[in-house]
Amino acid sequence: MPPVTPSLLIPRVCVPLQKKKLRRYWEADADPPAKKPRDGGPGAQGPLAATKKRVKGLPASKKGAMGSRAAAKKGIKGSPVAKKEIKESLGVPKKGVKKSQVAVKKGVKGSPAAGKKGARAAGAKKRISGKQDPFPGAAPISWHKVKKFQRGRKSKLEEVSSGRLRGRLASMENKMELAAQQAARAELLLPEEPGFLEAEPGEDTCTIAQADIAEAVDIASAAKHFELTLEQFGPYRVDYTRPGRHLLLGGRHGHVAALDWQSKTLLCEINVMESITDVAWLHTETLLAVAQRRWLYVYDNQGVELNCLRRFHSVLRMELLPYHFLLATASETGFLQYLDFSVGKEVATICTRGGRLGVMGQNPANAIIHLGHSNGTVTLWSPTVKEPLVKMLCHRGAMRALAVDRTGTYMATAGLDRQLRVFDLRTYRPLHALVLPTGAAHLAYSQRGLLAATSGNIVQVYHDVSWQQPRKPHLQHVLPRPAHGLRFCPFEDVLGVGHGAGFTSLLVPGSGEANFDALENNPFRSRKQRQEWEVKALLEKIPAELITLDPEQLGQVDTISMEQKHQEQVERLGFDPRAKTKFQPRHRAKGRSAEGITIHPLSPAPQASVRKSQEKKQKQKQQPQQQHKSPKVATPGQRSALERGKGDEMP
Amino acid sequence: MASTASPPSGTVVAAAYCVPRNYDPALHPFEVPREYVRALNATKLERVFAKPFLASLDGHRDGVNCMAKHPKSLSTVLSGACDGEVKIWNLTKRQCIRTIQAHEGFVRGMCARFCGTSFFTVGDDKTVKHWKMDGPGYGEEEEPIHTILGKTVYTGIDHHWKEAIFATCGHQVDIWDEQRTSPICSLTWGVDSISSVKFNPIETYLLGSCASDRNIVLYDMRQSTPLKKVILDMRTNTLCWNPMEAFIFTAANEDYNLYTFDMRFLETPVMVHMDHVSAVLDVDYSPTGKEFVSASFDKSIRIFPVDKGHSREVYHTKRMQHVISVKWSFDNKYILCGSDEMNIRLWKANASEKLGVLAPREKAAMNYNQKLKEKFQHHPQIKRIARHRHLPKAIYSQAKEQRIMREARRRKDLNRRKHSKPGSLPFVSEKKKHVVAVVK
């Protein structure tokens, strides 16, 4: 790319009104054909880079200093797609330019209707000198970008009675809005874009083989497609650490291997001499849990056995709840157990009465455990409740696999009835169903919502399953043997599959989150950073009692118990403290007395008022007594017990 | 923008600064529970670090009866004792820098001139003395600039905030010009002794005074007669004007309570502050006008927010006896209290605050924690920890006893109300209960 002198020349090409056109700084940003901040930088992919197959390998592209531009070789030759994209990208700034010009015109004319754009229109007003303010305010930002960062509902200010409270709420709302906008603006600065896979017209993405993808991407990304042939200790369970840097393999015949899969360095490799049902990393890459035939064991990354948890026996599946420092295990005997591995205590043991628990998943958004049962139901569990929170009938036959996406909105299930179904967890209703030839045995959701399913030795990846009926798989790959474990690698476009003949790492463009947050999960963290992160994470360990279906509930006002509280208060006090007092007209003496000083007793002394009321009572008492003397006979029910004898003689 | 390029291996600095952020809410699950846990931790840490006591200034040979802040120097404070001795202290060195035998008998009141060059004292010997703030030169004698001999005992003094005028109180409120030996005017309303007088710092012509016939009387210096007065249930010891809101003042009362009044509407106090278990002897506002500190006969001092009925903080030590005077420093950071057992104590206004210069990250963390605590303050667990204070046994049992008494009274009222005609026993709010009358 030749260096292009910025901006001023370019609108002359696309905009007819170029003469006095002054550009705003944000317009320069959306500048059409060639504005390129830095050559080769990760953010610098112009639309030219669009190719037949574009695959972006993630952070490695940073490491290897090879953006996905390196992948551009293949499809550039004839691509109509590329041209189209260029046009589109040209179109966008055009629009923006025109709009702002209209605003300028209106402002000059002095039309009253110019106010729609608010600050911008005001800024665009001409000055006396005839110059425009080149920086008339913040750049406009579209609402759907901001919406992603907004939380909860806005408070209804008009319903608030107290003026002071309303003011406070209003200022708080403003601050939240500002925070959301700033977060949305900061999104512009994110260095990476998610990868994608695009086929030429008429070609299907699911026909693209892994080898093709590996050939199209840069070397560093291509190195992430590999296969480990481990035929001896066969079928393997798989787990990645949360930053996605380390891989754990557990073969059914006792083989455990922990490795840094990117540099392919082995941390440890042991044989536990017992069959293994599942493996899981604990919160960091230093600890790993292995569910063996009898008990649950914890090893460190040197393969040293640290702990044998005999209370956790015949465990079939494990799920790590990282923010709670809990390891949830589902056992052959139908027990769901929670281990707090930061202190080594068993937090809860729940007898699910659901038979053998071979299907387990967690909702990453609220740490609820989903269990699949042989009668086709899925039950949702939290450690504090001994009954399932929700019980859903999902399939006609037994459940085989389930997975929940990162936002906790969608759940994919597979059953023996060969169906793959997607449920909406907000309404617990099915969204789509798909019949697979042999049914899916393992499911996994990626960070960006791709769904992987294995049936036999075929791995299929589906795209956009949550909002449309899937027809064809997005990608497909055939393994040498049937799959046994399936995990997407976080922050990488990689799908790890454990199978009877070892482990295969597949490239799935667009599956991983492109931009990591270093304070949450940093794939490049040093040892020191990891230790610091561990301390901080332990300090903010969420107690297990706070696992509920809606984790936001903790921040909301508990209105029901507030009502109860109020009622109790009314009962206790004998009056309603919130009730408004009756309006009492102010005592106003007309004119002043000669002395110029008057005393207004504010309230009658309590004693005086009591005395008055007592006198009144006395009077009232006397009156009925007088009435009583009249020949009117009271019914026996009304009289007191002491007078019981008298009444009969009276008349 | 933080660079995402991988740090050059081995350079700690580069690694430390390489923190790419992504604020996408999907990457930060459990936002509310995590914030809650952080708030809980912050609240616990606040209680752990709550060490408010800084220093004790000893040197007086009798109880400290009154104190005055230096209007220009944060490190200087003046104190007067019951044996007539006045001491000037340097707070940074925590030393007494000057001692004067000012009066015979008590030093009843003292105030610094607004310019900070001199100060006034009144004592039991019926004199008003005007002193230089700086000590005498070499060979000179320690002598006041002026001495005014009065006919009666003066019990309090305050200086005008802008002009060369001061006011004393005793049998009447006298307003003096600094240059004259007789008062410009004397204001009386009824015959009784007046215990304290204070100039309003904003509307500088206004004065407030507390008389021992249970009155709080307000004056305007430009008029020859008092403005109005409010009669309370019991005697008010002192009052203090809010330095930010001209109409607001707080009165320290013998009935263990403090009353914040709006001087335009004296019929009902804006707020009744209850928590002390004995007579409140002194009160002073923070310079922000949002909080005030009160000293009590129950050997403790308490900090109240102006708009809250209960204190947010209570300070006590084993050795502190009845606290007679209290001051809040002009930088809003420290509190000074002078007590019966001859000591002046220096406290932090915010018990868990870290003193000294804060690093930017420290400051950011502090602000973040502050906001979190505020956000989750109503959660029962957090509230319980934040409210917990250790109290000396005497105060604790006394408070308990009074709670029982109050409860009994309330129950009795409730029973009375139950057994009388509806409406015949009107509910009188706590605010209105203690005001007897307003006289104009």
Side-chain angles (χ1 to χ4, degrees):
Chain A
M1 229 7 116
V4 180
T5 46
S7 59
L8 270 174
L9 292 174
I10 292 142
R12 212 170 281 170
V13 185
C14 53
V15 185
L17 291 165
Q18 86 286 43
K19 252 187 192 172
K20 285 220 159 180
K21 176 73 190 51
L22 273 172
R23 301 179 57 80
R24 308 284 151 66
Y25 61 97
W26 66 74
E27 288 166 1
D29 201 13
D31 204 17
K35 267 231 70 196
K36 237 183 67 180
R38 323 169 255 167
D39 216 350
Q45 304 143 2
L48 283 175
T51 60
K52 178 187 162 196
K53 284 155 209 160
R54 236 186 83 194
V55 187
K56 250 186 79 188
L58 279 173
S61 63
K62 296 164 220 158
K63 276 218 128 175
M66 257 176 279
S68 55
R69 295 180 54 77
K73 291 175 224 159
K74 206 175 177 186
I76 235 172
K77 30 180 175 173
S79 63
V81 179
K83 270 183 195 169
K84 200 179 162 193
E85 275 194 23
I86 291 169
K87 268 182 201 166
E88 275 171 8
S89 68
L90 278 173
V92 175
K94 247 191 198 173
K95 254 188 191 171
V97 169
K98 267 187 186 168
K99 262 188 189 172
S100 66
Q101 284 223 338
V102 168
V104 172
K105 270 187 187 171
K106 273 183 182 170
V108 173
K109 273 182 199 166
S111 139
K116 201 192 169 191
K117 289 219 150 186
R120 286 186 62 204
K125 209 188 280 176
K126 266 196 178 175
R127 293 174 178 183
I128 297 167
S129 63
K131 280 191 175 176
Q132 273 185 23
D133 183 2
F135 303 108
I141 185 160
S142 65
W143 65 271
H144 66 265
K145 275 189 183 166
V146 179
K147 204 184 162 203
K148 185 170 140 192
F149 296 97
Q150 280 167 341
R151 288 151 173 102
R153 266 183 226 147
K154 283 196 172 179
S155 47
K156 291 172 186 163
L157 293 180
E158 62 277 5
E159 285 177 13
V160 179
S161 56
S162 147
R164 187 181 283 185
L165 179 64
R166 197 184 310 135
R168 271 184 60 191
L169 286 178
S171 83
M172 220 146 76
E173 288 290 343
N174 286 343
K175 275 178 201 161
M176 309 245 276
E177 188 59 36
L178 181 71
Q181 279 183 4
Q182 282 179 339
R185 278 178 206 287
E187 206 174 32
L188 191 75
L189 302 173
L190 291 179
E192 294 286 329
E193 285 166 26
F196 57 91
L197 180 69
E198 214 169 70
E200 281 199 37
E203 197 189 349
D204 214 343
T205 47
C206 67
T207 58
I208 298 172
Q210 282 292 312
D212 294 343
I213 297 175
E215 191 188 340
V217 297
D218 57 305
I219 303 169
S221 302
K224 289 171 187 167
H225 169 56
F226 61 91
E227 201 153 325
L228 302 176
T229 314
L230 308 158
E231 295 197 327
Q232 206 176 348
F233 299 105
Y236 279 87
R237 294 286 298 171
V238 183
D239 193 27
Y240 287 102
T241 49
R242 288 181 60 232
R245 186 81 199 184
H246 294 86
L247 173 69
L248 180 62
L249 298 174
R252 185 185 285 160
H253 297 292
H255 177 211
V256 177
L259 58 152
D260 180 343
W261 66 272
Q262 289 186 6
S263 61
K264 317 273 189 312
T265 48
L266 193 65
L267 296 179
C268 74
E269 192 177 21
I270 50 172
N271 199 319
V272 296
M273 307 302 285
E274 203 174 16
S275 68
I276 287 176
T277 50
D278 202 3
V279 286
W281 286 107
L282 295 187
H283 61 297
T284 59
E285 58 268 24
T286 49
L287 293 172
L288 47 103
V290 179
Q292 299 178 15
R293 190 177 63 84
R294 295 191 66 184
W295 298 314
L296 179 68
Y297 288 79
V298 177
Y299 298 91
D300 75 351
N301 61 0
Q302 305 300 314
V304 177
E305 181 188 320
L306 298 180
N307 210 343
C308 168
L309 298 148
R310 288 190 190 150
R311 293 189 58 86
F312 293 73
H313 54 84
S314 47
V315 170
L316 290 179
R317 289 287 176 266
M318 293 189 287
E319 282 289 342
L320 178 79
L321 311 178
Y323 293 99
H324 303 79
F325 284 83
L326 291 179
L327 184 73
T329 61
S331 76
E332 216 170 57
T333 49
F335 277 89
L336 172 65
Q337 284 168 297
Y338 287 85
L339 169 74
D340 185 337
F341 56 83
S342 63
V343 289
K345 236 173 75 178
E346 193 183 2
V347 169
T349 309
I350 302 167
C351 176
T352 60
R353 297 188 208 89
R356 191 174 188 275
L357 300 176
V359 181
M360 187 187 198
Q362 70 159 312
N363 185 338
N366 57 11
I368 295 284
I369 292 293
H370 294 225
L371 294 176
H373 302 283
S374 54
N375 55 0
T377 56
V378 170
T379 48
L380 274 56
W381 299 87
S382 103
T384 43
V385 186
K386 298 286 173 198
E387 296 294 317
L389 302 172
V390 176
K391 215 168 183 181
M392 303 165 67
L393 181 63
C394 294
H395 289 275
R396 301 217 171 162
M399 292 283 304
R400 288 184 76 191
L402 67 85
V404 185
D405 83 323
R406 180 173 64 160
T407 57
T409 323
Y410 303 106
M411 176 176 72
T413 59
L416 272 182
D417 56 357
R418 293 184 295 145
Q419 281 204 325
L420 172 66
R421 289 183 165 200
V422 180
F423 288 84
D424 189 334
L425 283 178
R426 294 166 295 192
T427 56
Y428 303 109
R429 295 248 168 86
L431 294 175
H432 316 293
L434 180 73
V435 180
L436 299 177
T438 54
H442 298 277
L443 293 173
Y445 259 112
S446 85
Q447 280 181 319
R448 295 192 65 242
L450 269 61
L451 179 68
T454 62
S455 39
N457 62 345
I458 298 172
V459 185
Q460 293 178 329
V461 178
Y462 292 91
H463 201 48
D464 293 347
V465 266
S466 12
W467 52 85
Q468 66 188 35
Q469 172 73 30
R471 292 208 174 73
K472 271 182 213 162
H474 180 56
L475 268 180
Q476 190 161 318
H477 184 76
V478 182
L479 301 166
R481 298 256 182 91
H484 189 58
L486 186 68
R487 286 282 162 124
F488 275 102
C489 180
F491 307 108
E492 292 286 352
D493 287 348
V494 163
L495 171 66
V497 192
H499 48 80
F503 171 79
T504 309
S505 174
L506 301 172
L507 294 179
V508 183
S511 68
E513 174 66 47
N515 297 288
F516 62 90
D517 189 314
L519 295 191
E520 193 85 43
N521 279 312
N522 186 356
F524 300 115
R525 66 190 177 190
S526 62
R527 193 176 157 195
K528 208 77 203 159
Q529 279 171 325
R530 189 196 70 215
Q531 287 166 348
E532 243 167 65
W533 169 86
E534 195 174 357
V535 171
K536 287 212 163 142
L538 276 166
L539 273 177
E540 56 191 51
K541 180 178 95 170
I542 307 170
E545 302 88 66
L546 294 184
I547 299 180
T548 50
L549 277 174
D550 180 12
E552 308 289 305
Q553 210 176 18
L554 192 66
Q556 289 161 359
V557 179
D558 187 2
T559 46
I560 297 170
S561 57
M562 215 161 78
E563 276 303 312
Q564 275 178 358
K565 225 178 177 181
H566 177 60
Q567 275 180 4
E568 277 165 20
Q569 197 186 16
V570 170
E571 257 175 47
R572 201 175 61 239
L573 293 174
F575 64 92
D576 186 359
R578 273 198 234 158
K580 280 186 181 169
T581 48
K582 238 182 171 181
F583 172 70
Q584 282 185 328
R586 204 173 134 200
H587 176 72
R588 205 188 283 257
K590 224 174 189 184
R592 305 176 99 185
S593 60
E595 284 85 313
I597 292 169
T598 47
I599 295 182
H600 305 307
L602 291 169
S603 56
Q607 289 89 347
S609 62
V610 169
R611 207 185 310 132
K612 266 186 193 171
S613 69
Q614 292 289 332
E615 280 169 11
K616 264 190 183 174
K617 257 192 197 170
Q618 285 285 331
K619 273 183 190 172
Q620 282 171 353
K621 264 189 188 173
Q622 282 167 3
Q623 276 173 354
Q625 274 177 8
Q626 283 166 1
Q627 283 170 3
H628 198 75
K629 280 172 189 170
S630 64
K632 197 181 166 192
V633 182
T635 53
Q638 284 174 345
R639 276 175 282 143
S640 81
L642 292 173
E643 291 170 330
R644 203 187 294 155
K646 290 181 197 169
D648 302 327
E649 297 154 12
M650 274 291 286
Chain B
M1 191 179 105
S3 152
T4 48
S6 69
S9 56
T11 55
V12 180
V13 180
Y17 284 102
C18 177
V19 181
R21 301 298 313 268
N22 185 355
Y23 298 103
D24 188 349
L27 282 180
H28 304 271
F30 303 105
E31 206 172 41
V32 178
R34 279 163 83 190
E35 275 189 352
Y36 171 78
V37 173
R38 279 181 203 158
L40 190 66
N41 289 345
T43 315
K44 284 177 184 170
L45 285 182
E46 183 197 283
R47 293 323 304 153
V48 167
F49 291 125
K51 302 263 183 277
F53 181 71
L54 289 177
S56 161
L57 311 174
D58 57 341
H60 272 300
R61 281 171 289 183
D62 208 336
V64 182
N65 198 40
C66 54
M67 287 198 293
K69 293 180 273 191
H70 193 288
K72 292 284 162 71
S73 155
L74 281 176
S75 63
T76 313
V77 73
L78 299 87
S79 65
C82 294
D83 59 351
E85 204 176 48
V86 168
K87 277 181 184 282
I88 303 179
W89 303 88
N90 185 336
L91 291 181
T92 42
K93 291 181 188 162
R94 293 163 191 183
Q95 272 176 359
C96 174
I97 48 177
R98 197 172 153 210
T99 309
I100 311 164
Q101 186 59 42
H103 294 277
E104 287 166 27
F106 280 48
V107 182
R108 284 289 172 187
M110 62 196 311
C111 65
R113 205 170 179 276
F114 56 88
C115 58
T117 51
S118 59
F119 64 93
F120 296 84
T121 57
V122 291
D124 267 356
D125 52 359
K126 301 180 188 175
T127 53
V128 181
K129 289 186 178 172
H130 186 188
W131 304 85
K132 265 192 190 167
M133 196 65 83
D134 305 324
Y138 180 73
E140 286 176 40
E141 288 217 359
E142 186 83 83
E143 268 188 348
I145 307 171
H146 301 295
T147 307
I148 301 169
L149 280 170
K151 286 171 194 154
T152 55
V153 176
Y154 299 108
T155 52
I157 186 168
D158 196 24
H159 200 280
H160 193 278
W161 289 76
K162 281 172 185 166
E163 288 171 18
I165 292 170
F166 64 91
T168 59
C169 59
H171 276 300
Q172 73 276 346
V173 171
D174 291 327
I175 294 168
W176 307 74
D177 193 319
E178 280 181 11
Q179 308 302 324
R180 302 191 193 179
T181 50
S182 57
I184 306 171
C185 67
S186 296
L187 301 157
T188 50
W189 193 349
V191 211
D192 220 314
S193 61
I194 295 164
S195 59
S196 109
V197 64
K198 289 280 162 70
F199 272 100
N200 188 322
I202 303 167
E203 293 294 326
T204 46
Y205 290 100
L206 287 176
L207 286 149
S209 75
C210 335
S212 59
D213 58 352
R214 305 180 297 156
N215 293 341
I216 299 171
V217 191
L218 302 177
Y219 311 91
D220 190 333
M221 234 171 68
R222 295 164 294 192
Q223 279 177 324
S224 56
T225 51
L227 279 180
K228 50 181 169 180
K229 68 176 173 184
V230 55
I231 306 171
L232 298 178
D233 264 349
M234 288 181 84
R235 195 167 77 100
T236 302
N237 284 318
T238 39
L239 62 82
C240 186
W241 291 93
N242 189 323
M244 301 306 278
E245 288 177 274
F247 298 113
I248 308 288
F249 65 87
T250 299
N253 203 290
E254 282 280 313
D255 65 358
Y256 313 171
N257 296 341
L258 292 117
Y259 300 97
T260 299
F261 281 101
D262 186 330
M263 67 167 278
R264 297 166 295 180
F265 314 107
L266 289 176
E267 290 80 7
T268 333
V270 180
M271 188 57 75
V272 182
H273 310 275
M274 356 174 69
D275 259 349
H276 278 299
V277 291
S278 191
V280 190
L281 299 182
D282 199 8
V283 58
D284 193 32
Y285 262 96
S286 83
T288 58
K290 297 243 161 118
E291 289 178 323
F292 60 81
V293 59
S294 65
S296 166
F297 198 72
D298 63 12
K299 306 177 187 177
S300 70
I301 60 177
R302 282 181 186 267
I303 301 172
F304 291 87
V306 174
D307 52 351
K308 296 270 160 56
H310 290 279
S311 62
R312 76 156 167 86
E313 196 68 75
V314 55
Y315 294 159
H316 55 84
T317 64
K318 266 185 185 165
R319 299 184 180 189
M320 190 161 75
Q321 292 301 309
H322 314 302
V323 194
I324 301 172
S325 62
V326 71
K327 290 283 175 223
W328 197 312
S329 77
F330 278 126
D331 60 350
N332 196 24
K333 279 200 163 177
Y334 304 100
I335 286 169
L336 287 146
C337 70
S339 48
D340 246 0
E341 87 313 326
M342 311 175 227
N343 274 330
I344 297 170
R345 289 192 168 77
L346 183 65
W347 307 85
K348 284 191 262 184
N350 187 2
S352 58
E353 192 185 14
K354 190 184 171 195
L355 295 179
V357 184
L358 293 182
R361 283 175 66 185
E362 229 171 343
K363 207 181 274 175
M366 198 188 69
N367 289 340
Y368 179 67
N369 282 345
Q370 191 56 40
K371 204 72 202 169
L372 279 181
K373 278 184 271 181
E374 201 180 299
K375 185 175 175 184
F376 290 94
Q377 62 185 339
H378 298 297
H379 284 254
Q381 187 80 354
I382 289 176
K383 201 166 153 190
R384 186 183 63 81
I385 295 168
R387 279 181 54 208
H388 181 262
R389 295 286 180 283
H390 172 255
L391 285 175
K393 201 177 173 191
I395 296 180
Y396 182 78
S397 55
Q398 187 105 30
K400 203 166 146 192
E401 197 181 311
Q402 278 175 16
R403 195 162 56 239
I404 292 167
M405 282 158 67
R406 209 164 36 238
E407 187 66 16
R409 240 177 277 141
R410 197 193 55 75
R411 201 167 52 237
K412 185 156 191 177
D413 263 9
L414 188 64
N415 288 341
R416 264 205 201 119
R417 203 164 280 126
K418 252 187 210 166
H419 295 283
S420 56
K421 194 180 155 196
S424 64
L425 280 176
F427 172 73
V428 185
S429 70
E430 189 65 38
K431 282 180 188 173
K432 291 192 175 171
K433 240 179 231 173
H434 305 282
V435 179
V436 177
V438 176
V439 189
K440 283 178 186 170

